Amino acid sequence: MRVALHALCGAAGAAWRESFPLGGRDVARWFPGHMAKGLKKMQSSLKLVDCIIEVHDARIPLSGRNPLFQETLGLKPHVLVLNKMDLADLKEQQKIIQHLEGEGLKNVVFTSCVKDENIKQVMPLVRGLVEGSYRYHRGENLEYCAMVIGIPNVGKSSLINALRRQHLGKGKATRVGGEPGITRAVMSRIQVCDWPLMFLLDTPGVLSPRIESVEMGLKLALCGTVLDHLVGEETLADYLLYTLNRHQLFGYVQHYGLDGACDDVASVLKRVAVRLGKTQKVKVLTGTGDVNVIQPNYPAAARDFLRTFRSGLLGPVMLDRDVLQSLPLADP
Ligand SMILES: Nc1nc2c(ncn2[C@@H]2O[C@H](COP(=O)(O)OP(=O)(O)OP(=O)(O)O)[C@@H](O)[C@H]2O)c(=O)[nH]1
């Protein structure tokens, strides 16, 4: 099904798949079991901290957070940082905030660590919460300490580095990476502010062992919180295509110089591969002998499609649009 872009943009999106085939996928396999260990260690360090800064991806503000965080670390004041706002479509930001408030999350900040947006809002919020809370045995301690938690690859280390940059004018203290699972050493304690003297504990990303649905798993994977090969790069590319088309985000057509939007992943990846020169010659045995045919490198094309999306080149996206639409209308 291929339609010219100009024809498409006027259409109401009815031409696109209404649902993504989710059957038969074993989501449990995508989520490594070792993560529970990290959570235990975090729990045992809880007495050292005054506040929890939970970082999550602003493209999935209403899904994919690890419920175990609340269950095990929920006693301390809590700030939710929705990071990567530069990649998120936040037209419905107020609705998101209202919904989170309804769930008891009153301290929410949207940030971008690559654009240094709203980073300066984080420390005053943490300071206010710590000063307004009962610090138990830490009451005498003039140093403040917050633990930075979250699922993998949401920007925990980047946030710590951005806070150091903003408040101390200092460079990177903790390693940042495009793949999930970069922060492995549990609990490095890093100074981010002089006044008040504030330290942050960086922690490894911990996914929920109970992912609600395959679709939530796919959203998490699109955000790079799960290693792509565990899901399958072509499956993930197909879910991305499905999402972009449903949201009428046709930037990929222009980016790859395609002659129209399309909902069939094989034909999109074929064109992407040809466009990028990611093709390979293979020998095929026919009735009349061997012939060389040019075959598109589908996995390479899928990787490029995902990388391009994640770098923001296909435009901002709200992967929780379905969740937002299913919410009751907010009170005026
Ligand atoms: N576009 C964008 N990318 C970001 C932002 N913050 C972090 N990143 C990128 O996201 C990736 C992961 O960042 P990290 O800071 O390593 O994430 P983490 O949560 O510490 O990752 P783990 O150690 O796997 O738990 C890196 O490629 C960062 O450059 C942001 O605000 N916007």
Side-chain angles (χ1 to χ4, degrees):
M1 174 182 30
R2 288 193 48 245
V3 196
L5 180 60
H6 62 271
L8 246 173
C9 296
W16 311 116
R17 282 172 286 179
E18 288 292 325
S19 61
F20 189 78
L22 300 166
R25 292 193 174 84
D26 181 9
V27 193
R29 224 173 35 88
W30 302 350
F31 303 96
H34 69 261
M35 290 187 174
K37 229 163 118 189
L39 190 64
K40 266 211 171 113
K41 189 98 193 263
M42 284 150 72
Q43 202 176 3
S44 66
S45 303
L46 206 56
K47 55 186 177 303
L48 305 174
V49 308
D50 305 297
C51 182
I52 299 286
I53 302 175
E54 181 181 348
V55 185
H56 195 60
D57 194 309
R59 292 168 292 180
I60 42 170
L62 306 182
S63 65
R65 289 173 50 230
N66 186 344
L68 293 181
F69 288 148
Q70 178 61 27
E71 287 167 29
T72 53
L73 310 170
L75 292 169
K76 300 277 174 173
H78 177 275
V79 173
L80 179 63
V81 172
L82 290 170
N83 188 41
K84 307 200 184 186
M85 69 181 290
D86 53 297
L87 302 177
D89 172 358
L90 294 176
K91 279 197 283 294
E92 300 208 76
Q93 188 166 346
Q94 275 320 311
K95 197 170 176 187
I96 294 167
I97 291 174
Q98 272 179 11
H99 180 73
L100 291 172
E101 265 183 9
E103 289 193 334
L105 295 156
K106 306 237 180 287
N107 308 295
V108 179
V109 192
F110 287 84
T111 60
S112 167
C113 291
V114 293
K115 297 198 168 167
D116 271 350
E117 265 178 278
N118 297 346
I119 301 294
K120 282 212 160 119
Q121 291 181 16
V122 178
M123 277 302 108
L125 193 55
V126 171
R127 180 182 183 173
L129 284 172
V130 174
E131 289 174 355
S133 69
Y134 179 60
R135 296 179 70 208
Y136 303 94
H137 60 285
R138 294 182 52 78
E140 304 291 296
N141 200 330
L142 295 179
E143 291 173 13
Y144 294 173
C145 185
M147 189 190 284
V148 182
I149 65 169
I151 62 172
N153 215 34
V154 287
K156 298 178 292 300
S157 304
S158 300
L159 179 70
I160 295 175
N161 290 333
L163 287 167
R164 268 171 73 82
R165 209 162 46 233
Q166 293 267 336
H167 294 282
L168 294 177
K170 290 199 173 149
K172 281 184 190 165
T174 174
R175 227 180 114 205
V176 167
E179 291 214 321
I182 288 292
T183 309
R184 290 196 182 272
V186 188
M187 310 305 175
S188 30
R189 192 168 180 268
I190 300 151
Q191 189 189 344
V192 288
C193 192
D194 271 335
W195 186 254
L197 186 54
M198 171 87 71
F199 292 88
L200 297 185
L201 291 184
D202 199 5
T203 65
V206 180
L207 280 167
S208 168
R210 305 183 296 263
I211 294 299
E212 262 173 40
S213 65
V214 179
E215 182 141 24
M216 187 195 277
L218 286 165
K219 288 182 190 177
L220 285 167
L222 264 193
C223 291
T225 66
V226 184
L227 289 170
D228 291 348
H229 71 264
L230 293 177
V231 182
E233 279 145 343
E234 287 162 69
T235 301
L236 209 44
D238 193 18
Y239 184 70
L240 172 59
L241 183 67
Y242 159 79
T243 304
L244 294 175
N245 285 335
R246 268 180 79 77
H247 293 203
Q248 309 216 354
L249 297 170
F250 302 120
Y252 68 93
V253 175
Q254 203 180 7
H255 181 84
Y256 288 112
L258 310 183
D259 43 38
C262 170
D263 218 10
D264 175 45
V265 75
S267 67
V268 168
L269 292 183
K270 185 172 171 185
R271 274 149 214 280
V272 170
V274 172
R275 185 87 197 169
L276 299 173
K278 294 191 185 294
T279 52
Q280 58 212 10
K281 253 192 208 156
V282 287
K283 245 190 201 128
V284 178
L285 186 63
T286 69
T288 51
D290 285 358
V291 288
N292 282 325
V293 294
I294 305 285
Q295 239 185 30
N297 185 340
Y298 289 101
R303 273 194 292 280
D304 195 87
F305 190 31
L306 291 167
R307 193 171 41 235
T308 304
F309 163 71
R310 288 173 181 149
S311 64
L313 287 170
L314 304 182
V317 70
M318 173 45 61
L319 296 173
D320 274 344
R321 197 181 74 155
D322 53 340
V323 185
L324 269 166
Q325 282 172 347
S326 70
L327 295 177
L329 288 174
D331 293 333

